[in-house]
Amino acid sequence: GLELKARFPRQSSTDGKSKSKPRRTVGKLRQLATEQAEKRRRAEEKQAKKEKARREKEKAAARKKHLDSLEGKEGRIWEKVDNLVEIRNAKSYDQAIGHLKDLRDLSIRKDKLEDFLSLLESLREPHMKKQSFIERLIVVDGSGEALVLTTRQLITKATAFDEKYRN
C-alpha cells in the first residue's frame, strides 16, 4: 500500500495532471473496434478466395490427371458401363454415370463429341425401360449437370472444358 502511494506522485506531473495520452471515449473505442472487425473480415474474405482458387486449381489438375490416365481405355470403359447398367441397381447406375461423365469429357477433349453421343444413344436404346438409369442420364448430379444435352449446351460445355482441361 505505502509503496504504491509513494510511487504515484512520481509518475504524475507536478501540476497533478497525467502525462499519459488523452483518454479515449466509448464512442471512439467502438469505432476502432468496428474498423478492426471490418479489416479482419476483409482479410479473412481475401484468404478464403485464395483458398477457393487453390482448391479449384488442384481439382482441375486432378481431373486432368484422371482423364490422362483413361486415354486409350475408352472401349473397356464403355463395356464396363454396359455391364454396370445390366446389374440394375442404384449403386451400379451411379458408377456407370461416373464413367459416362469421364467418357464425355474425354470425347470433348479429343473433339469427338459426336462419336460419344452416338455411342450413348446406342447404350440408351436397349435400356429405355430402366427408368432410374434413364433419369440419371438426364440429371447427373445435384448441380443439375445433364449428360444428355442439347447441341448448344454441348458447345458451351466443350468451350468451358477446353479452358480447364485441354493440353
Side-chain angles (χ1 to χ4, degrees):
L2 291 176
E3 185 180 315
L4 183 60
K5 287 182 180 179
R7 229 180 341 152
F8 181 72
R10 287 183 281 166
Q11 290 181 350
S12 62
S13 64
T14 55
D15 62 359
K17 292 185 181 176
S18 175
K19 292 182 182 180
S20 64
K21 294 181 183 179
R23 299 185 87 178
R24 294 182 278 189
T25 65
V26 171
K28 183 66 174 171
L29 289 172
R30 283 184 177 164
Q31 178 186 359
L32 290 171
T34 302
E35 289 171 2
Q36 286 297 320
E38 181 62 23
K39 193 177 192 180
R40 188 172 35 257
R41 186 195 61 76
R42 283 192 306 267
E44 289 170 355
E45 196 174 272
K46 184 177 179 182
Q47 183 63 32
K49 283 181 183 178
K50 281 183 183 179
E51 183 63 25
K52 182 179 179 186
R54 183 192 62 78
R55 281 192 312 268
E56 287 176 357
K57 188 175 180 180
E58 285 177 357
K59 186 177 177 181
R63 180 70 177 154
K64 183 181 182 308
K65 185 177 180 181
H66 174 68
L67 291 176
D68 289 345
S69 74
L70 299 177
E71 287 280 340
K73 300 175 185 173
E74 293 87 346
R76 282 183 271 162
I77 297 170
W78 278 107
E79 288 175 23
K80 191 172 188 176
V81 166
D82 197 38
N83 292 335
L84 287 166
V85 173
E86 289 298 327
I87 294 172
R88 299 180 70 112
N89 67 36
K91 183 178 178 182
S92 63
Y93 289 163
D94 291 339
Q95 290 173 343
I97 294 298
H99 291 306
L100 288 170
K101 287 169 63 175
D102 291 340
L103 289 166
R104 177 201 55 207
D105 291 349
L106 282 170
S107 70
I108 291 171
R109 183 189 237 189
K110 293 179 174 184
D111 292 326
K112 294 185 177 185
L113 191 54
E114 291 300 320
D115 294 345
F116 168 78
L117 293 174
S118 174
L119 289 167
L120 181 62
E121 185 60 27
S122 67
L123 173 74
R124 191 178 67 81
E125 288 278 330
H127 302 292
M128 285 301 292
K129 292 183 180 181
K130 297 173 183 163
Q131 187 66 31
S132 181
F133 175 66
I134 298 302
E135 288 173 2
R136 282 174 170 79
L137 281 178
I138 296 169
V139 180
V140 173
D141 59 26
S143 69
E145 177 187 355
L147 191 58
V148 181
L149 301 168
T150 66
T151 304
R152 176 177 289 166
Q153 289 170 319
L154 286 169
I155 292 169
T156 303
K157 182 148 186 73
T159 303
F161 184 86
D162 279 350
E163 294 171 8
K164 276 190 171 180
Y165 304 111
R166 193 166 274 220
N167 294 333

